[in-house]
Each structure stands twice: as C-alpha cells, then as structure tokens.
Amino acid sequence: MLTLWDLIEPVLNLRPKKRKVPPRPQPALSPQLPHSDTPAPPTPLEPSAPVIRSTPLHETAQERYDRIVQTLLREHHIRVRKWRKNMSGIAWYVTYRDGSVSRLIETPRPKGPMSMAIFLHEVGHHAIGFNRFKPRCLEEYHAWAWAITQMEAMGLNITDAVRYRMSSSLWYAVDKARRRGLKHIPAELLPYITRPLKPRSSRA
C-alpha cells in the first residue's frame, strides 16, 4: 500500500540541490588595545629646521653698558640731566621746599671703559653721599674708589687710561686744595701729591 510520502519523495529528489558557498575569508584584524581616554601620540614627523630666537642669547657690550646704566640710575634714583659729548661730568642734587630731593648728573653716555668710569664716578657721589667726607678732595677720592670697585665687581675692563684719569683727577683735586690752604692731607690722598705719569699707550 502506497502512502502520500511515497508519491512526493521522487519529485523532491528531482529538484536541483543548492550548492553550499564556502564562507568568505575575513581580513585579519589588528589586536585591539584596552580602551583609554588618552589619545594615541601622533606619528613622529621629520626633524624640523632649528628655531631662530628673536633675541640673541648673549648681550653685546653696548647692551651690557645700557643695562648697567639703567640699573644704577633706578637703584639710586638719579636722573640724567644731559648726556655730554666730552669726557667730563658733574653730580649735584636739589632739595625742594617739601623736603623732596632730586639727584642729577651730567656725564658722557657709557660706550667704553672711559665713559663708563666717568659715569660711575658721578653716580658714586650720590652713592656715598655729598658732604660726608672732608675736605672736598677726599670726597673725590671715595667717589673714584666707588667707581673702580663697581667696575671690578661687574667685570668691566679697567684700562690704563681709566686708572690714569683717576690718578690725574685726584692729583688735580689735591693740588687745588693745597693751593687754597689745605695743610693736612688725608692718608688716602698721599699717593696723589705728585702728578702722575701718562701710560705709554696714552703718550703722543
């Protein structure tokens, strides 16, 4: 006795079977790092050209002089009334009715050892104080001593011409005081009783 399935099975066997398609190979994945909120660093670039600074690493001699001038004027509250063209200077002060004091100097603008020494000498008068030393020639000595000490401390060049300028200036101050009747010469000024000789480099 035939069943319904016996009649249908031959028909089903006549239908073409579906060909199985092999799975498509998946591309290899790179290993995943643990999640982090910090972004990965960018890929390094080729070395760039060296950075050119807008300011020089080392100051020039003139820049050094200018810096020293501004520092000392600010520290001692001094105002330059005039930059002189010759190698001479003067220092003085003015006291006003309200008790305020204006400290003034005239001096050549420091551009070398000599002009710097003269500038420091005039600043020295304000630094050591006026009328602190008597006679007047002794005050000149201390102003020059202050200037030379400052130049040594700052590593500035103290030439033979600068030392001669100091010696000749003090000799002139002592000689002037003696002509005006000075009898007792302070010990600091004894080396300047006689006129100094010019250094060979300064002779004509």
Side-chain angles (χ1 to χ4, degrees):
M1 180 176 177
L2 297 175
T3 63
L4 182 60
W5 173 252
D6 294 331
L7 297 174
I8 296 175
E9 183 180 11
V11 177
L12 294 177
N13 291 335
L14 294 176
R15 296 176 60 183
K17 296 182 178 181
K18 293 182 178 180
R19 188 177 63 178
K20 295 182 178 181
V21 179
R24 182 177 298 176
Q26 298 295 325
L29 300 179
S30 59
Q32 298 295 317
L33 298 176
H35 176 71
S36 174
D37 293 334
T38 304
T43 304
L45 301 176
E46 292 295 327
S48 58
V51 178
I52 301 177
R53 299 180 182 272
S54 57
T55 56
L57 294 176
H58 303 286
E59 61 185 356
T60 64
Q62 187 59 55
E63 289 171 342
R64 186 183 187 190
Y65 284 152
D66 293 341
R67 174 175 55 81
I68 292 172
V69 167
Q70 295 304 316
T71 299
L72 291 177
L73 293 179
R74 182 173 60 253
E75 288 181 354
H76 297 282
H77 308 286
I78 299 173
R79 180 169 63 88
V80 179
R81 182 179 179 275
K82 178 182 179 182
W83 292 114
R84 294 188 174 184
K85 295 182 180 181
N86 57 10
M87 292 296 171
S88 65
I90 186 174
W92 75 101
Y93 65 96
V94 178
T95 303
Y96 299 98
R97 291 183 179 179
D98 60 358
S100 61
V101 177
S102 181
R103 298 175 176 85
L104 305 164
I105 61 173
E106 290 185 8
T107 174
R109 186 186 298 274
K111 295 182 179 180
M114 182 62 75
S115 53
M116 174 57 80
I118 297 172
F119 167 80
L120 290 174
H121 171 75
E122 303 308 335
V123 173
H125 278 291
H126 291 287
I128 66 175
F130 289 89
N131 304 318
R132 179 182 174 187
F133 299 98
K134 297 292 185 179
R136 180 72 172 82
C137 52
L138 185 58
E139 181 179 318
E140 283 293 308
Y141 167 82
H142 284 285
W144 271 113
W146 188 91
I148 297 299
T149 300
Q150 292 296 313
M151 294 186 75
E152 291 175 344
M154 292 183 288
L156 299 177
N157 184 24
I158 305 175
T159 62
D160 290 339
V162 168
R163 296 188 184 277
Y164 173 74
R165 176 61 179 263
M166 173 183 174
S167 298
S168 60
S169 176
L170 292 176
W171 167 79
Y172 177 81
V174 171
D175 184 67
K176 182 178 179 179
R178 293 177 70 183
R179 285 187 279 108
R180 291 185 174 183
L182 178 65
K183 301 299 182 182
H184 176 70
I185 299 176
E188 298 92 331
L189 296 173
L190 290 178
Y192 307 102
I193 294 177
T194 58
R195 188 169 190 169
L197 297 176
K198 286 186 178 182
R200 292 182 179 180
S201 58
S202 299
R203 293 179 180 177

